[in-house]
Structure formats: C-alpha cells, structure tokens
Amino acid sequence: MVVAQGGRLVDLPQPTGETVLRADDDGYVAGIDGLAIAQTLVKMGAGRQVSSDVIDPRIGVRIEAERGANVCPGAPLATVFHGDRAPSAEHLAAIAK
C-alpha cells in the first residue's frame, strides 16, 4: 500500500523490538481472530482511534502458526513488533487468544 501511494518502504522507521508469543501447551491452533488482533494493534498505536492519533509504523504482527497447526510448548505463535515501548501484558494476552 505504501508503494502504491508513491512511498518507499525503506523510508519508514523500523521496529526496535519484538516479542515472540509462544504456546503454553501441546495442541492445535483452532483459529486466529484477525479483527481482535487488529483492534489490539490499533490500541498499541498501529492505527487511529480518533483522527488526531499518531500512527507508529513500527508496530505490527507476524503470525507464525497458521490455523490448524499442531504446536508444542514453546512453539512460536506470533511475533509482535514494536517501537521503544514493549507491548503490555494485556496487549500480548489479547493477541495470543
């Protein structure tokens, strides 16, 4: 989308930190609630709740285990990218649901 609007990805600030969410138990990924993840990322600053909010382009998520994946304890489920402030425990719990 950045390129389509004439921007260059290399000009965007890069994340300064990342937090890997890992499986607690053996099991399968039953589903991924993309809307809940997106709403949490907006609360973290990746989007606007009101027009005056500033967007932090360093915030994002990469899903590491797709729906239906068999996971064991410690397996990566998602990586949350952030800027100078690490995500709160509340934010991480909402993404991990």
Side-chain angles (χ1 to χ4, degrees), residues 20 44 50 57 94 96:
V20 178
M44 291 173 57
V50 295

Side-chain angles (χ1 to χ4, degrees), residues 2-96:
V2 172
V3 174
Q5 295 180 15
R8 296 177 345 140
L9 290 174
V10 297
D11 294 335
L12 291 175
Q14 297 300 305
T16 55
E18 58 184 59
T19 302
V20 178
L21 298 173
R22 299 185 179 278
D24 293 328
D25 300 307
D26 287 321
Y28 291 88
V29 178
I32 299 170
D33 189 343
L35 179 59
I37 292 171
Q39 289 171 333
T40 301
L41 292 173
V42 167
K43 290 176 186 174
M44 291 173 57
R48 293 187 175 102
Q49 295 181 23
V50 295
S51 62
S52 59
D53 286 350
V54 176
I55 295 174
D56 186 345
R58 300 173 296 177
I59 297 172
V61 66
R62 179 177 58 226
I63 304 300
E64 306 288 359
E66 62 187 35
R67 187 173 56 91
N70 183 3
V71 295
C72 60
L77 300 175
T79 302
V80 180
F81 300 97
H82 51 84
D84 301 328
R85 284 189 335 206
S88 70
E90 178 185 344
H91 290 143
L92 293 175
I95 292 170

